[in-house]
Every structure is written in C-alpha cells, then in structure tokens.
Amino acid sequence: MYLYHYYDQDYGPFRNLSELTDEEVDIVVKKIAKEKQEAFCNKRTSEYMLKRRHYENILREEFLKKGGKIERVVPQYMVIGECDFLRYWYVNSAYIKIDIDDFDKSTLSFTYGDSHPTFSDLVNDGKEYRKKLYTYNEILDVIEKYGYPQEWNETGEYGPERYIEVHVWSDETLKKYYL
C-alpha cells in the first residue's frame, strides 16, 4: 500500500497552510490566487481556514482518544493510492509516493473521504464512515468493505468521498521531502 502526497511543483511538497498564522495564510492565498488563477484552491471560500482548523481539532481529539501518537500540532496530508482527482488540483502537479511500511503506523489516522465532508454537519447521508476517524487497522476493514473511493466514485457523482485521506502526525518519514 502506497501513500501519495499531491502538490504544485512551483511551491514544493508538504506546504501546510495550517502551520501559518492567519496573516501568513492570507499572503499565501493571495499569491496563489494571482499566480495560479486556475488552481482548485482558488475555489475555496474565505471561511476555509476557519473550517480547516476546526476539523483538524476534531482529527487530533479523535486520534488521541484512539491512542494515536501525535508529534505534530497539525497533520500533513496524504491519500491512500493514486488519485487523478487530486492531480488536477494543481497547475503544475506532482506527487510523492511512499510505502506505508515506511511510517510508524501509530502516527497515522484516516478518514474515508476528505475530513471536511466527513465531519461536516452539512453531510447527513447516513453512511457509517461519516464523523469517524480510523486507525490503520480500522481503515483496512473499511477498505475491505467499501473499496477505494477513487475507483467507485471517480467523478464524485456518488458523494463527497473521492479518496481516503491520511493524516500524518509525525515528520520522521517526511522530513527528507521537506525543502
């Protein structure tokens, strides 16, 4: 099993807005809006960071309840498997592919789909994986039951889940990819 991190080559991998102050986020967002007008992230609302920080707090709290090992204040994001949908988020798209066995699995949490709709009160379709965070062993059971969203919901016509999101709570494996 491989984890993928998609990013814009012009900015580099593992650039996490959540690590920035609100003022720094504003500067970066304006820069991207000017330089990459067709980028997916330019479709985000002004409330995006407020919501993102809210969902990241939920991820952290839920992972701690499950005994997860947290070494970062906010997670770095990856997905399980290749995902064309994410490739098109970036103008100059690239990805990093890392074997999951290279990670300490106790530092990984998962949502079946993006964490925003997973924990959003606006998504109320009754699917059992809503409002749930999984450990590595737990997500394996979910994958066995439902498969990979990018295979059965490539276009998003069956709901918001398009991939399995991975929350990496340690820099140990990723530090060699930081610029």
Side-chain angles (χ1 to χ4, degrees), residues 29-83:
V29 168
K30 286 178 181 173
K31 177 181 178 182
I32 293 171
K34 182 178 179 183
E35 295 175 357
K36 307 278 185 168
Q37 294 176 6
E38 59 278 3
F40 178 83
C41 63
N42 285 334
K43 297 177 175 100
R44 294 176 175 153
T45 69
S46 59
E47 297 174 351
Y48 170 76
M49 281 308 296
L50 182 65
K51 290 179 181 178
R52 178 172 169 158
R53 292 182 200 282
H54 169 73
Y55 294 130
E56 286 174 337
N57 285 334
I58 293 171
L59 295 175
R60 186 181 311 98
E61 289 169 14
E62 293 300 311
F63 196 43
L64 285 171
K65 286 179 190 175
K66 290 179 175 273
K69 192 160 116 184
I70 294 181
E71 299 172 359
R72 295 179 47 82
V73 175
V74 295
Q76 290 287 9
Y77 293 90
M78 299 185 80
V79 296
I80 296 178
E82 204 166 348
C83 181

Side-chain angles (χ1 to χ4, degrees), residues 147-178:
Y148 294 94
Q150 58 265 48
E151 293 175 1
W152 61 263
N153 194 27
E154 185 177 353
T155 63
E157 66 184 294
Y158 301 113
E161 53 277 85
R162 305 281 291 271
Y163 47 82
I164 298 168
E165 189 174 86
V166 184
H167 320 109
V168 182
W169 295 97
S170 172
D171 288 323
E172 188 57 37
T173 300
L174 302 180
K175 62 187 173 188
K176 64 183 167 188
Y177 301 99
Y178 293 158

Side-chain angles (χ1 to χ4, degrees), residues 117-149:
T118 294
F119 287 101
S120 173
D121 290 332
L122 300 176
V123 180
N124 296 303
D125 55 16
K127 293 179 180 174
E128 72 173 282
Y129 44 79
R130 296 284 180 247
K131 312 249 187 299
K132 289 189 183 169
L133 178 123
Y134 298 98
T135 63
Y136 173 69
N137 289 327
E138 291 170 334
I139 200 65
L140 293 178
D141 293 337
V142 176
I143 293 168
E144 186 174 323
K145 186 172 185 178
Y146 295 104
Y148 294 94

Side-chain angles (χ1 to χ4, degrees), residues 5-17:
H5 173 73
Y6 290 87
Y7 64 97
D8 189 305
Q9 291 181 67
D10 295 333
Y11 302 127
F14 300 109
R15 299 290 188 225
N16 192 325
L17 289 173

Side-chain angles (χ1 to χ4, degrees), residues 69-115:
K69 192 160 116 184
I70 294 181
E71 299 172 359
R72 295 179 47 82
V73 175
V74 295
Q76 290 287 9
Y77 293 90
M78 299 185 80
V79 296
I80 296 178
E82 204 166 348
C83 181
D84 283 340
F85 173 64
L86 292 175
R87 180 176 289 135
Y88 296 109
W89 278 20
Y90 305 99
V91 175
N92 194 7
S93 186
Y95 65 84
I96 292 172
K97 175 182 172 183
I98 306 172
D99 191 309
I100 198 165
D101 290 331
D102 291 349
F103 291 89
D104 173 353
K105 292 179 187 80
S106 70
T107 65
L108 303 177
S109 62
F110 305 82
T111 50
Y112 194 79
D114 190 280
S115 55

